[in-house]
Amino acid sequence: MTIPFFDGHNDTLLRLLEAPGADKERPFIEGSKDGHIDLPRARAGGMKGGFFAMFPPPLKTGLANVTNGGLDPNLPPQLAIADALASTNGMASVLFRLERAGALAVCRNAGELRAAMGKDTLAAIFHIEGAEAIDTDFRSLDLLYAAGLRSIGITWSRANAFGTGVPFRFNADPDIGPGLTDAGKELVRVCNAMGVMLDLSHLNAAGFRDVAAISTHPLVATHSNVHAICPHARNLVDWQLAVIRESGGMVGLNYATGFLRPDGKFVADTEMEVLVRHVDALVEALGEDGVALGSDFDGAMMPAEIGDVTGVQKLLQALLDKGYGEALVRKIAMGNWLGMVERVMG
C-alpha cells in the first residue's frame, strides 16, 4: 500500500540552481542520482506535492560545523537584499520552468492543489525561507505574491530586517535574541491580509511570541521537531507547542537527523524509532489535526532508512506498525496540510 503524502519543506530548488550546467530542470524531470527529490522518485514514493522553499545563500559561514554536530553557536551574517532577491529570482525561474515543462504545477490555494493532484501533477507551493528578499516597504512582496508566493519563513537561522533566527546550537533553548522588529510585526499583518502563510521554523522564541500575539492565522512550523526529545535550538519547547495547539496550528516533522536524535548528531545511522517518538510527542501535544510532514529534503542529512523521497513510505508504515490507524496516518501524510492550506490561503 502506498499512502500519498504532501511535504512541508524541501530545498530542492536551491540544489537545482547551484548544480553545474545551463539546463537546471532536466535532472529533476528525467531523474538523477543527486539529492533527495526528483520527479520520477517523487512519483515512485507517493509524493503528491509540497512547499518548495527558496532559501537564499550564502550557507558556508553559518553552517561550518553543522555536519560534525551542529554546534556552531554563531548566527551567520545578514544577507544584502539585492543578493537575496537575485538568488530567489533564480530559484523562482527554475520553479516556473519546471511548471512550463509540465513537471509540476505552482498552486496558490487549496482548489489548485486538489486540481493538480487530481491530474496526477506534482503540486508545488511557492515558499521563501528567510525574508531577506523582501524590502521593508513590501514592494518585492507584492511582486513575489503576484508570481505565486503563498508562504514565508520570516527568518532562516540568521537575523534580517524582520527578526532573528536561532543558530544551529545543540543543548540550547530557542529563547535566543530579540523579537520581531517593527517591520517584522508589520510583515505579519500584511501576510495575514494577503493570505500568505507564516512559517515559524527557524524563528527564535521572542519572534515566535510576537507572531503569536499579532497573527490571526493558525501558527505553523513547517519543519521542526520536539525539543524535549532533541534539545536543539531549532526545535519547539513545550510552551511553543501549547501556543500552536491553541491557535489551531500545525507542525511538520523534520527528518534532519540532528533535529531528531537525543544526542543532536548529524549522522545517517538514525533509527526510524526516533522519528516515531517525535510523531508520538507531536500528536500528544497538538492533537491529530496538528501534525504533518516537513522533511527538509535536499537541505539536511536524512536517516539512512529514509534516504530520499522514496523512503517516506517506510516512515508511514512505521506509524501503522506502531498502531496508528490508517485514517490518522493519511491525515498526517497529506490531509492536515491540505486543510491548513485551505484555512490560510483559501
Side-chain angles (χ1 to χ4, degrees), residues 16 22-31 90 93-99 101 103:
L16 295 174
D23 189 347
K24 305 296 187 182
E25 297 76 43
R26 186 176 299 277
F28 183 89
I29 295 169
E30 296 183 353
S93 174
V94 173
L95 179 69
F96 287 111
R97 289 181 184 187
L98 287 170
E99 183 176 48

Side-chain angles (χ1 to χ4, degrees), residues 39-62:
L39 185 58
R41 283 183 288 174
R43 286 175 170 164
M47 181 179 178
K48 297 301 183 181
F51 287 76
F52 280 69
M54 299 181 195
F55 163 59
L59 294 172
K60 311 307 181 204
T61 301

Side-chain angles (χ1 to χ4, degrees), residues 260-283:
L260 288 166
R261 297 171 59 96
D263 61 9
K265 292 182 178 180
F266 282 81
V267 294
D269 185 16
T270 297
E271 294 181 356
M272 190 69 74
E273 184 271 339
V274 74
L275 284 87
V276 175
R277 284 180 60 199
H278 281 272
V279 174
D280 288 343
L282 288 170
V283 170

Side-chain angles (χ1 to χ4, degrees), residues 118-187:
K119 298 175 184 177
D120 201 26
T121 300
L122 191 66
I125 293 180
F126 183 156
H127 169 83
I128 61 174
E129 182 178 32
E132 285 88 351
I134 297 174
D135 59 277
T136 55
D137 291 323
F138 307 120
R139 294 187 179 100
S140 58
L141 176 60
D142 289 333
L143 294 174
L144 290 166
Y145 180 85
L149 175 69
R150 290 299 183 272
S151 178
I152 294 175
I154 297 173
T155 63
W156 180 68
S157 288
R158 61 188 167 210
N160 59 32
F162 304 103
T164 301
V166 288
F168 288 85
R169 188 184 299 173
F170 183 66
N171 272 335
D173 189 279
D175 198 1
I176 300 169
L180 298 184
T181 64
D182 289 343
K185 294 174 182 177
E186 185 60 20
L187 177 63

Side-chain angles (χ1 to χ4, degrees), residues 58 175 186 201 235 301 344:
D175 198 1
E186 185 60 20
S201 292
N235 286 337
M301 179 175 287
V344 174

